[in-house]
Amino acid sequence: MPRRISNSQKTMTTVAAWTIGVLIFFPILWIFILSFKAEGDAIGTPLHVISSAWTFDAYGEVQGRSDYFKHFWNSVVLSLGSTLIGLAIAIPAAWSMAFVPGKRTKDLLMWMLSTKMMPAAGVLVPIYLIFRDLGLLDTRIGLVAILTLVNLPIIVWMLYTYFKEIPGEILEAARMDGASLRSEILYVLTPMAIPGIASTMLLNIILAWNEAFWTLRLTAASAAPLTAFIASYSSPEGLFYAKLSAASVMAIAPILIMGWFSQKQLVRGLTFGAVK
Amino acid sequence: MADTGISSSSGARGAPGSVATQATLPIARKPSRLFRNLASKIALVPMILTVLVIFVGCTIWTVVHSFTSSKLLPKLDFVGLAQYERLWGNDRWMVSIKNLAVYGTCSMIFSLVIGFTLAALLDRKIRFENTFRTIILYPFALSFIVTGLVWQWILNPDFGIEKVVRDLGFESFVFDPLHSDQFVIYGILIAGLWQGTGLVMCLMLAGIRGIDEDIWKASRIEGIPVWKTYVQIIIPMIRPVIVTSVVLIASGIVKVYDLVVAQTSGGPGTSSQMPALYVMDRMFKDQNLAQGFAASTMMLVAVAIILIPWAYLEFGGKKSRG
């Protein structure tokens, strides 16, 4: 009987759940452990890996080989820039679709979302040519633009689902009380919309941070973000697991740390608003 | 009721007291609503414009150029369907299609089944639930590049699962999917499932939690077995959550390119080729742009064939808000 919950049952579920949780988390934990090991110890048996000496060498070597902070800064600029521009375009659009829906609103939304399903390889060459002609290859501005476009459908869709939950009657009531359009937006709409916007923002930062297809194709050196940094370690350094792990940890740590401190928004955002 | 009807016509003359506010309201609102409708249409313009120019424009450009013989640079010398004939005569392309079909089907089915089963098993209050959810969702917050590298290592026979099991005493244990022509696609599938299943589970869990307690009571009184309640009552009730999951899994399948590049680069040989990889190799390794365009056009057609009927069935009927 799933609904009569005794204390022992609760403990059992908790244990089962956390077993699954640890299993899922284990690979992340393992690269974290490996990144603090010497190269020779990292390829030993798991027991040997745990018991061997801890060291920061791998991090030092990775930083020495490629400038981590430059890539980190690129990632920050790209993900924040594309998110803010995306929000600036998407908020009015989602607001209008949610509060003044027309006959075609649903179609428009579906159409927007379907572009997300398009294989990116299909539009790569024309965009590459446009970028080449405009001199945008390997620039941050160009990448911010393309990441904004790629993630715009998701932003609009998410904001739309959040805005739709705001009851229209409240706006009606505010108008009855003589609120101007400006104060309606500023004092009624904004406070109610902020949680949704925050989750959308976090999701979009993560998506932009992880975007690999475009960032690998349209950058060379100067605008390359962390995905390019980690990809550069994949083939030539295939057998240097400590260094590879250190590079991976450096690439994912910012997202994991940010996610840890905003768990509520993270869960809401990553589940696209389905988990409140 | 009749009062408002009269006073709205005489509102301009200035009726006294409360009647005035009722009366002037529609008049005061009219320009505002007009403005709102106009503003709302204008608000959509940047969004529609970007989608139109980039996605539609660039897609048409690609489709047009797929009928040419462009090599290193795109040019407009049409050769009809020659590129498509060559494409469908190419073994690597056929392998790619088969791989994508296997990966797509398996990842859709397994994600949904595993996600739902775990969610049903965990459908009780768990201690430290927020932290648990965050950890379950972490893999989804990783780049496919990182996931590919991590699983390349875990599935490597010299360090990963095979080595660990052998050290436990099972000397003849073999688990090396990434170096086997036949099983490499399942090695990629494992990594893909690891990344996505936690997310599906969280979605399903949220859906199941939202179900009214009375449903459970009723089914218990009727004597319906628990599994049957899940399959026949709960699943139809959490349909919106399942639709969201399907959309997210599908967009993950489209992005499998990143994973393959990081995990196997299409190898061993050509056995883990994917359509997107085929497109990229033709365009950038072989300098055969038109062949790549033809392949990506076929991908677009395939997406359209799957997407349009589904979208029509799923969203076609309901035009209204909500």
Side-chain angles (χ1 to χ4, degrees):
Chain A
M1 291 287 139
R3 291 289 132 170
R4 238 172 261 153
I5 299 160
S6 69
N7 223 19
S8 70
Q9 263 184 333
K10 190 175 167 181
T11 313
M12 261 175 60
T13 324
T14 304
V15 170
W18 277 96
T19 311
I20 294 166
V22 168
L23 273 180
I24 288 180
F25 189 63
F26 183 75
I28 300 176
L29 182 71
W30 195 248
I31 58 168
F32 184 74
I33 293 172
L34 277 188
S35 69
F36 290 104
K37 297 295 176 180
E39 213 56 76
D41 294 327
I43 55 172
T45 58
L47 209 68
H48 178 77
V49 170
I50 300 273
S51 57
S52 57
W54 301 77
T55 166
F56 280 102
D57 288 355
Y59 287 93
E61 277 177 52
V62 168
Q63 172 63 19
R65 208 196 84 159
S66 43
D67 189 358
Y68 170 75
F69 292 101
K70 187 185 86 184
H71 297 295
F72 173 80
W73 183 241
N74 280 336
S75 273
V76 170
V77 171
L78 295 186
S79 47
L80 272 183
S82 70
T83 303
L84 292 179
I85 297 173
L87 282 176
I89 300 175
I91 287 177
W95 168 76
S96 115
M97 287 199 289
F99 291 112
V100 200
K103 262 191 215 142
R104 303 235 158 264
T105 298
K106 263 273 123 67
D107 297 342
L108 187 65
L109 203 63
M110 266 318 290
W111 187 56
M112 279 291 294
L113 204 57
S114 66
T115 62
K116 192 71 199 164
M117 301 284 160
M118 296 284 186
V123 290
L124 176 64
V125 170
I127 288 185
Y128 186 90
L129 293 177
I130 294 171
F131 270 45
R132 190 196 59 192
D133 293 347
L134 296 177
L136 288 173
L137 284 174
D138 202 18
T139 61
R140 288 194 205 131
I141 296 171
L143 271 185
V144 165
I146 199 74
L147 291 182
T148 306
L149 289 173
V150 169
N151 290 324
L152 191 62
I154 292 279
I155 307 186
V156 172
W157 183 42
M158 268 192 80
L159 285 177
Y160 170 77
T161 50
Y162 286 126
F163 285 177
K164 223 175 52 170
E165 280 169 22
I166 298 172
E169 294 80 48
I170 287 197
L171 302 182
E172 206 79 14
R175 231 172 291 144
M176 289 285 190
D177 290 342
S180 66
L181 184 68
R182 193 177 142 274
S183 55
E184 194 183 307
I185 290 172
L186 209 58
Y187 298 112
V188 185
L189 210 53
T190 312
M192 294 182 72
I194 276 187
I197 293 175
S199 300
T200 311
M201 219 175 134
L202 191 70
L203 170 75
N204 199 60
I205 288 175
I206 292 174
L207 288 178
W209 189 278
N210 291 337
E211 175 58 50
F213 185 87
W214 292 104
T215 49
L216 290 182
R217 286 293 151 190
L218 299 178
T219 62
S222 61
L226 284 172
T227 41
F229 161 82
I230 176 84
S232 74
Y233 276 81
S234 84
S235 37
E237 308 271 330
L239 287 170
F240 296 97
Y241 281 102
K243 256 183 272 163
L244 190 56
S245 302
S248 306
V249 169
M250 286 157 98
I252 64 179
I255 288 293
L256 298 191
I257 294 168
M258 195 173 73
W260 190 260
F261 288 110
S262 52
Q263 293 189 6
K264 225 177 130 187
Q265 280 77 28
L266 182 83
V267 172
R268 266 192 94 159
L270 284 185
T271 57
F272 292 76
V275 178
K276 302 282 141 50
Chain B
M1 286 296 120
D3 194 28
T4 38
I6 295 162
S7 54
S8 63
S9 59
S10 63
R13 275 192 269 127
S18 63
V19 182
T21 48
Q22 273 178 356
T24 48
L25 204 65
I27 293 166
R29 243 166 87 192
K30 232 176 202 164
S32 148
R33 186 181 285 163
L34 190 75
F35 164 69
R36 279 173 151 249
N37 276 330
L38 192 68
S40 72
K41 296 290 169 293
I42 292 170
L44 287 172
V45 168
M47 183 191 84
I48 295 175
L49 216 64
T50 46
V51 173
L52 210 64
V53 170
I54 298 305
F55 290 98
V56 180
C58 290
T59 302
I60 291 172
W61 189 93
T62 299
V63 173
V64 167
H65 279 79
S66 76
F67 295 105
T68 69
S69 67
S70 309
K71 287 281 177 198
L72 181 60
L73 291 169
K75 54 183 177 198
L76 282 170
D77 54 340
F78 291 100
V79 292
L81 290 169
Q83 296 293 351
Y84 290 91
E85 273 165 35
R86 215 186 309 164
L87 179 68
W88 287 102
N90 188 311
D91 287 341
R92 287 181 66 180
W93 174 250
M94 299 314 272
V95 172
S96 313
I97 299 277
K98 211 188 94 211
N99 277 338
L100 186 65
V102 170
Y103 179 85
T105 318
C106 290
S107 114
M108 184 63 80
I109 293 172
F110 284 121
S111 298
L112 288 175
V113 170
I114 298 174
F116 183 77
T117 313
L118 289 181
L121 288 175
L122 300 180
D123 175 26
R124 279 157 233 179
K125 201 86 191 134
I126 304 159
R127 293 198 180 107
F128 314 109
E129 190 165 295
N130 285 338
T131 315
F132 172 72
R133 271 207 297 235
T134 307
I135 283 179
I136 288 277
L137 282 174
Y138 263 170
F140 189 69
L142 299 189
S143 167
F144 259 147
I145 300 282
V146 174
T147 306
L149 292 178
V150 168
W151 281 90
Q152 194 185 43
W153 173 79
I154 295 175
L155 298 175
N156 186 322
D158 295 332
F159 316 99
I161 295 174
E162 185 179 289
K163 171 97 165 120
V164 172
V165 176
R166 282 192 179 180
D167 287 348
L168 290 172
F170 303 95
E171 290 295 339
S172 59
F173 180 79
V174 178
F175 188 71
D176 188 12
L178 293 190
H179 295 99
S180 137
D181 288 349
Q182 219 180 334
F183 295 113
V184 64
I185 193 71
Y186 299 100
I188 295 165
L189 181 68
I190 293 174
L193 285 178
W194 175 72
Q195 176 139 14
T197 306
L199 172 76
V200 176
M201 194 197 104
C202 268
L203 285 166
M204 298 276 186
L205 201 55
I208 295 176
R209 287 276 168 77
I211 298 227
D212 200 325
E213 199 72 6
D214 292 341
I215 302 275
W216 283 105
K217 277 188 201 149
S219 85
R220 209 149 49 209
I221 291 164
E222 296 284 333
I224 302 168
V226 172
W227 68 270
K228 223 175 171 183
T229 313
Y230 270 117
V231 173
Q232 294 190 342
I233 300 171
I234 305 298
I235 289 182
M237 283 186 79
I238 60 169
R239 199 187 146 81
V241 173
I242 295 178
V243 170
T244 311
S245 307
V246 169
V247 171
L248 295 182
I249 298 169
S251 64
I253 294 171
V254 174
K255 279 193 74 180
V256 71
Y257 168 81
D258 300 7
L259 190 59
V260 174
V261 164
Q263 215 178 346
T264 67
S265 318
T270 60
S271 46
S272 64
Q273 284 287 327
M274 286 287 173
L277 201 65
Y278 181 89
V279 172
M280 301 303 268
D281 282 354
R282 290 297 78 70
M283 292 198 296
F284 296 99
K285 273 198 194 143
D286 304 353
Q287 266 106 38
N288 193 348
L289 281 178
Q291 179 70 135
F293 293 151
S296 53
T297 305
M298 289 317 302
M299 288 168 70
L300 286 169
V301 170
V303 170
I305 287 174
I306 297 169
L307 204 67
I308 291 170
W310 179 77
Y312 185 77
L313 284 176
E314 193 59 44
F315 300 95
K318 339 162 204 171
K319 287 268 162 68
S320 64
R321 207 181 134 185

